[in-house]
Amino acid sequence: MLTRRGLMAALAALAGGAAVGGPAAAQTHTGQDHAGHASGAEPAPAAPGKSGGRVVTPNGASLPWRMRGGVKEFHLVAEPVARQFAPGLTVACWGYNGVTPGPTIEAVEGERVRILVENRLPEHTSVHWHGILLPNGMDGVGGLTQPQIRPGETYAYEFTLGQHGTFMYHPHADEMVQIALGMMGFFIIHPRAPEPVDRDFAIMLHEFAVHPGTSRPDPAVMLDFNTFTFNSTVFPATEPLVCALGDRVRIRLGNLSMDEHPIHIHGHNFRVTGTDGGPVPASARWPETTVLVPVGATRDIGFIADNPGDWAFHCHKSHHTMGAMAHEIRNMLGVDQTGVEERIQKLLPGYMAMGGKGMAAMQDHARHMPGPANTPPMMAGVGPYGNIEMGGMMTVIKIREGLTDYGRDPGWYRQPAGTSARKVEGGEG
Amino acid sequence: MSTVRGALLGLLVLFAGLLPACATVPTSAGFPEVEREALARGEPAPGWARDDSGRAGRDRRVAECLEGGLTMDEAVAVALVNNAELQAGFETLGLAQAEVVAAGLPDNPVLFGQARFPDTAPLGTNFEFEIAQSLLSILLIPARTSLAETEFEQARFAAVAEVMDLAWQTRAAYVRVLVAERQAAVRGLAAEAAGASLALTGRLHAAGNVSALTFESERSHAESVGLDLAASRMELATAREALTRLLGLWGASAAWTTAEELSPLPPAEPDLSGIEALAVARRPDLAAAMKAADLAAKALEVSIDWRFLASVEVGLDAEKEPDGQWLVGPNLSVELPLFSQRQPEIAAAQSRLRAALSRARGLAVTARSEARELRDRLLIARRVAERYRDVILPSQERLVAEWQRHYNFMLADYDQLLAAKAAEYDAYQGYLAALGDYWTLSAELRRAAGGRLPDPEPPAELAAPQPPAPPAMDHGAGHDHSGRHPQ
């Protein structure tokens, strides 16, 4: 069913010509070493020689560039990266320019771009420009379209952008290892004409196998991942998507992981406005609250932020919104440990019966019971009403009326009186 | 008649001179020397209960030691006063002392008398009296006494050796009991870990969360741990009774208890570099063997010295002829070394001497070898126990803490956590065995070195690794090593 808001979003997307602007979101909550600043304050395209772009990459940034001989030149450095996924979880990844995902490359349709790729990895690499239409020799498939870029070497890729949309870059050399370690990034091509969008977010979905007590992703894992990330960050360290009431919002989602991820919005519905194959014609869009982002694909969704509040935005595979979990453990549900717990405590005083009534108690438990090194608890996040009991691929879209600064977390939403669920007291029900 | 009188007088003087030799046998039987030698070697005083008061004293000593539980030293003390075999061994001292007394006595004189009745006149009865004394038995007194005294010394050293043997056997048996006690206790904890795990799996099964396959598999594991506990208890019973026998206890006193724990490793070994020399110098069995060689040498000497004089008797003979005339006069009988000058006896004595020397030399070689072997094994046992103490047990503790951390975050199951705890108990069993080896070897080395080894340093109080007891209420975050106490 097409809702009013969805219709408005579709119309807005079609309208075009609206100025892109507004305050920049300074995404500095987790202290990441940003490669550049998100800077949405300037008219698109960004002025030559200035860093950044108009896209907000939560927990990340856009890649600076400079104009050289009429060519927009970027410098990507492939290198090992220590990435803090959340406080208490720092992962020995590989990425670009000190971060994973690599900084978002932003350019405008029709521009000629040159990307210098310097390899500071211990092994060779290459960069494939996923979804971008370019000459075969620029496609970045090691061995097939070019020699691999050996450690210490720099290759230049140069091509003219003949399309717009949300694309990606990633290695096409020892791809299994290099992607498993976090090498990926957005390549966003804006249309020549400014778009009717106030907030433009880019979130790369990924999953890592960081076994409990370790810090290096295990590239051999095919299915049993335990760390599910938005821009290589897990909830609650994921930066919120701050929007003013009525903003036209686009969220670009990319997926280079081993699983599809059904990404779900609360309090709104949206249209899928584009893929890495290009824009979806308005006539082909239908309303959704969940978009399944396939492996090796991007999805742009658009909506009007017309419903104030704190709205969860997450992968709907419930295991993907959990912190580190073991998947082969025994099911303790419905097990009464009375008596046995005391017996075990005589041998192991730190022992506590868990899981008998569900796993929610886990979050409080984890506050005073230590876990393995470098391992976040399965559930985290504390909201105004208590434990949020999530982790992994989860963030909050914060929509506020009268917002003046996108760069500042507006705090928890205060629900107007009479609009909250309430406990039913005895007799009332 | 002056000759007769002279001879009579001579005999009287001889007997008077010899009479004091027939004194009574002293009761000490050299035991104070044995006691002194044992004390000098660091053993508690042995006791030899030969009469009612001795037996009462022994019973008091045993009761004192059993009061409030036995320490290792008290166990040795009890064995040294109450072990019946040792008591029987001490009687060798009595025998040897009797031999010394006997050696100081000449053969008793022999009185001979006869009456004969002539069948033709004169018809007076013929009487003859003779008193004869072996002169050789008198002449040999110094030599015989010297031999007997040497043998007595040998017996004293042999008694000290028996004391030392029993002391080390007692120490080894005591250590075995301590190890068995602790191992049985720790096995009990391992069985409890398996039992608790099984009980919880039973709950899971009842709740419909694990299959009968899982539950029964875990039961079979828990049962096998239970059987291990039974084997531990069997070993404890065996170890206790082995010590009880050495202590000579029975009845109510067989329910003795131990009053100490297996000691941790001492901080350092005594100086073991001169251990061979120490063994050769101090081992009482080697001293006894050397006394045996000494005895054989003396015996050979006596055989050679007296080879021409096998029998010399002097006597006084009085005969009343039928006609009433008395014939009185001395006599002398001497064996003439015509055919034998004791060559076979000398050859035999030479053989005995060579054999005794060989035995002493062989024992010295053995003593040196045992000292080296036990020193080396002791040092290896120390390294094994240190490895357990410094590396294996802390690693097991960290493992349990890690499993606990994984369990805390629902990354591991209770059975994995309890299995890790059981593995920690197993490692502790290994530590106890290694420590038991160390103390057993230490006791054996003490015997092999002929007594206590000089302490290197005043032993510092070291924190011993405790059995994998429950850690402080820290939820596995880390262990307070000092505050834990054994289960």
Side-chain angles (χ1 to χ4, degrees):
Chain A
M1 179 183 139
L2 196 63
T3 65
R4 185 187 60 83
R5 286 199 304 275
L7 189 63
M8 281 180 66
L11 291 172
L14 281 174
V20 174
Q27 312 284 337
T28 54
H29 296 264
T30 53
Q32 304 291 349
D33 178 17
H34 290 181
H37 294 281
S39 175
E42 293 153 285
K50 300 299 283 265
S51 65
R54 70 190 73 166
V55 173
V56 175
T57 308
N59 303 94
S62 290
L63 184 63
W65 47 268
R66 63 177 180 178
M67 294 304 295
R68 179 177 284 190
V71 178
K72 195 178 231 180
E73 190 175 273
F74 298 88
H75 191 166
L76 270 185
V77 180
E79 60 189 355
V81 166
R83 171 74 171 183
Q84 192 185 56
F85 284 18
L89 175 60
T90 298
V91 184
C93 293
W94 288 359
Y96 299 94
N97 300 50
V99 287
T100 167
T104 298
I105 295 174
E106 290 185 65
V108 179
E109 183 176 3
E111 283 182 331
R112 186 161 182 81
V113 295
R114 182 185 305 120
I115 304 121
L116 300 172
V117 177
E118 181 183 344
N119 183 6
R120 291 189 195 159
L121 295 172
E123 72 166 353
H124 66 223
T125 188
S126 73
V127 180
H128 166 61
W129 313 100
H130 179 113
I132 297 176
L133 308 174
L134 36 60
N136 185 245
M138 295 294 168
D139 198 39
V141 180
L144 180 65
T145 64
Q146 68 165 88
Q148 284 91 355
I149 309 170
R150 288 183 300 194
E153 290 179 345
T154 299
Y155 270 56
Y157 294 87
E158 191 170 326
F159 42 88
T160 301
L161 303 173
Q163 65 197 117
H164 66 265
T166 304
F167 309 99
M168 299 184 285
Y169 62 90
H170 64 79
H172 225 298
D174 195 14
E175 185 174 335
M176 184 194 79
V177 167
Q178 295 187 6
I179 293 180
L181 267 85
M183 297 187 74
M184 60 212 168
F186 278 106
F187 195 130
I188 290 167
I189 308 175
H190 298 286
R192 270 181 229 273
E195 294 172 289
V197 170
D198 301 307
R199 298 293 280 154
D200 194 349
F201 299 102
I203 296 176
M204 187 68 80
L205 314 174
H206 206 53
E207 48 195 23
F208 296 83
V210 187
H211 304 304
T214 71
S215 58
R216 194 178 299 279
D218 180 354
V221 168
M222 186 170 78
L223 299 172
D224 199 9
F225 296 94
N226 62 355
T227 304
F228 303 91
T229 57
F230 280 175
N231 287 339
S232 301
T233 309
V234 297
F235 183 78
T238 47
E239 288 173 355
L241 311 185
V242 179
C243 303
L245 186 66
D247 275 352
R248 296 156 298 177
V249 182
R250 173 159 57 205
I251 302 176
R252 305 168 190 262
L253 301 165
N255 181 10
L256 288 168
S257 78
M258 292 287 290
D259 282 296
E260 302 166 333
H261 297 286
I263 304 299
H264 176 64
I265 195 169
H266 288 214
H268 297 77
N269 54 34
F270 55 71
R271 298 287 190 282
V272 176
T273 59
T275 75
D276 44 343
V280 177
S283 60
R285 302 172 186 175
W286 64 86
E288 287 277 17
T289 64
T290 300
V291 58
L292 186 67
V293 186
V295 179
T298 69
R299 292 291 181 268
D300 296 350
I301 61 169
F303 62 95
I304 305 290
D306 57 0
N307 193 1
D310 289 338
W311 302 108
F313 185 69
H314 60 91
C315 179
H316 219 296
K317 287 184 175 177
S318 55
H319 277 237
H320 292 187
T321 53
M322 290 281 116
M325 276 185 66
H327 300 114
E328 305 298 327
I329 61 166
R330 286 187 179 172
N331 182 2
M332 303 304 291
L333 209 55
V335 177
D336 177 12
Q337 296 201 32
T338 311
V340 184
E341 184 182 14
E342 291 75 8
R343 274 179 76 181
I344 297 175
Q345 279 169 344
K346 284 190 184 129
L347 307 171
L348 294 155
Y351 181 83
M352 227 178 116
M354 287 193 294
K357 298 173 180 172
M359 295 192 187
M362 177 68 219
Q363 186 168 343
D364 287 331
H365 187 137
R367 280 196 197 99
H368 57 95
M369 305 284 264
N374 203 44
T375 304
M378 190 169 81
M379 296 173 179
V382 180
Y385 302 102
N387 292 337
I388 298 174
E389 296 164 0
M390 296 187 94
M393 291 177 153
M394 155 84 181
T395 188
V396 179
I397 303 174
K398 297 194 167 192
I399 302 171
R400 298 288 185 275
E401 192 168 7
L403 189 80
T404 54
D405 183 2
Y406 285 129
R408 208 169 61 217
D409 186 333
W412 301 114
Y413 182 64
R414 290 185 191 180
Q415 296 154 353
T419 66
S420 305
R422 62 190 168 83
K423 184 158 96 178
V424 175
E425 299 298 343
E428 193 183 348
Chain B
M1 273 315 283
S2 65
T3 321
V4 175
R5 256 186 243 110
L8 269 171
L9 197 64
L11 264 182
L12 280 174
V13 167
L14 179 64
F15 291 150
L18 290 173
L19 274 174
C22 54
T24 52
V25 179
T27 52
S28 68
F31 195 68
E33 287 92 323
V34 171
E35 214 170 357
R36 203 173 51 239
E37 290 287 340
L39 289 170
R41 287 166 166 80
E43 300 303 346
W48 186 10
R50 280 164 293 177
D51 52 23
D52 285 347
S53 89
R55 280 186 284 276
R58 173 198 66 195
D59 291 346
R60 268 198 311 277
R61 180 88 182 102
V62 169
E64 271 169 28
C65 288
L66 293 181
E67 179 75 35
L70 275 174
T71 63
M72 188 192 284
D73 287 343
E74 285 171 338
V76 175
V78 169
L80 295 189
V81 299
N82 202 44
N83 179 286
E85 278 296 311
L86 185 66
Q87 296 294 308
F90 286 156
E91 293 302 336
T92 311
L93 294 171
L95 294 174
Q97 171 135 71
E99 289 295 322
V100 173
V101 174
L105 298 175
D107 291 354
N108 282 327
V110 177
L111 182 67
F112 171 79
Q114 68 178 4
R116 284 173 295 187
F117 308 99
D119 58 351
T120 56
L123 291 173
T125 307
N126 170 271
F127 291 103
E128 185 176 358
F129 302 98
E130 185 191 348
I131 185 161
Q133 173 68 45
S134 162
L135 192 59
L136 193 64
S137 79
I138 297 167
L139 296 176
L140 276 175
I141 281 175
R144 274 216 314 264
T145 303
S146 168
L147 287 178
E149 275 173 353
T150 306
E151 201 168 354
F152 187 28
E153 286 174 47
Q154 184 197 340
R156 288 201 298 264
F157 281 121
V160 175
E162 283 185 45
V163 166
M164 305 277 301
D165 264 4
L166 182 61
W168 103 254
Q169 283 174 30
T170 305
R171 282 195 185 91
Y174 188 84
V175 167
R176 186 181 169 193
V177 169
L178 290 183
V179 170
E181 279 179 342
R182 298 301 304 284
Q183 286 195 328
V186 174
R187 273 265 188 264
L189 293 173
E192 174 55 15
S197 187
L198 179 66
L200 191 43
T201 305
R203 301 271 178 100
L204 264 75
H205 184 46
N209 297 12
V210 299
S211 66
L213 178 68
T214 303
F215 180 50
E216 292 303 331
S217 304
E218 202 161 306
R219 185 203 298 283
S220 112
H221 169 70
E223 287 302 321
S224 85
V225 176
L227 295 178
D228 290 347
L229 174 60
S232 273
R233 288 177 173 157
M234 213 180 275
E235 159 62 14
L236 175 57
T238 307
R240 275 190 63 89
E241 285 310 321
L243 180 56
T244 305
R245 286 193 289 277
L246 291 174
L247 299 179
L249 298 177
W250 56 280
S253 62
W256 52 266
T257 56
T258 51
E260 62 183 71
E261 301 257 330
L262 196 58
S263 299
L265 286 179
E269 291 305 325
D271 179 14
L272 297 173
S273 57
I275 194 80
E276 285 183 50
L278 210 56
V280 169
R282 298 199 309 187
R283 269 178 70 149
D285 54 345
L286 188 55
M290 280 151 76
K291 282 292 165 201
D294 194 14
L295 180 66
K298 281 183 176 163
L300 174 62
E301 211 171 283
V302 171
S303 297
I304 291 170
D305 288 353
W306 297 86
R307 66 189 180 280
F308 299 116
L309 206 58
S311 169
V312 183
E313 276 186 16
V314 291
L316 184 68
D317 189 85
E319 184 172 2
K320 184 189 175 196
E321 294 295 332
D323 58 4
Q325 184 188 19
W326 280 91
L327 301 172
V328 179
N331 61 39
L332 172 72
S333 65
V334 176
E335 181 191 320
L336 298 178
L338 200 57
F339 306 113
S340 163
Q341 293 90 42
R342 313 290 163 213
Q343 291 93 336
E345 285 89 334
I346 290 168
Q350 284 170 331
S351 275
R352 277 193 283 273
L353 174 58
R354 282 195 301 272
L357 285 170
S358 289
R359 270 194 285 274
R361 201 179 61 238
L363 190 55
V365 168
T366 300
R368 285 174 179 277
S369 165
E370 282 180 358
R372 284 191 306 270
E373 178 194 333
L374 290 166
R375 173 198 61 199
D376 293 349
R377 286 173 59 199
L378 183 77
L379 294 176
I380 292 166
R382 165 181 277 276
R383 283 198 292 275
V384 172
E386 282 173 343
R387 193 78 188 164
Y388 269 107
R389 183 192 66 192
D390 300 337
V391 179
I392 298 171
L393 296 185
S395 155
Q396 290 291 336
E397 272 187 34
R398 287 193 298 272
L399 257 178
V400 171
E402 273 306 311
W403 277 111
Q404 177 76 57
R405 285 162 174 268
H406 278 68
Y407 174 81
N408 289 347
F409 274 30
M410 296 186 104
L411 297 166
D413 284 321
Y414 64 89
D415 63 316
Q416 292 170 303
L417 174 59
L418 285 164
K421 193 70 191 168
E424 191 187 354
Y425 291 135
D426 282 349
Y428 196 74
Q429 299 276 344
Y431 170 67
L432 289 173
L435 206 51
D437 284 350
Y438 174 83
W439 286 116
T440 305
L441 287 163
S442 169
E444 194 174 355
L445 180 60
R446 177 170 168 155
R447 177 200 64 91
R452 190 165 59 199
L453 298 166
D455 289 332
E457 301 281 324
E461 271 307 311
L462 275 199
Q466 295 300 337
M473 286 295 287
D474 59 1
H475 311 300
H479 289 187
D480 174 8
H481 286 249
S482 57
R484 289 177 311 126
H485 202 266
Q487 286 280 293

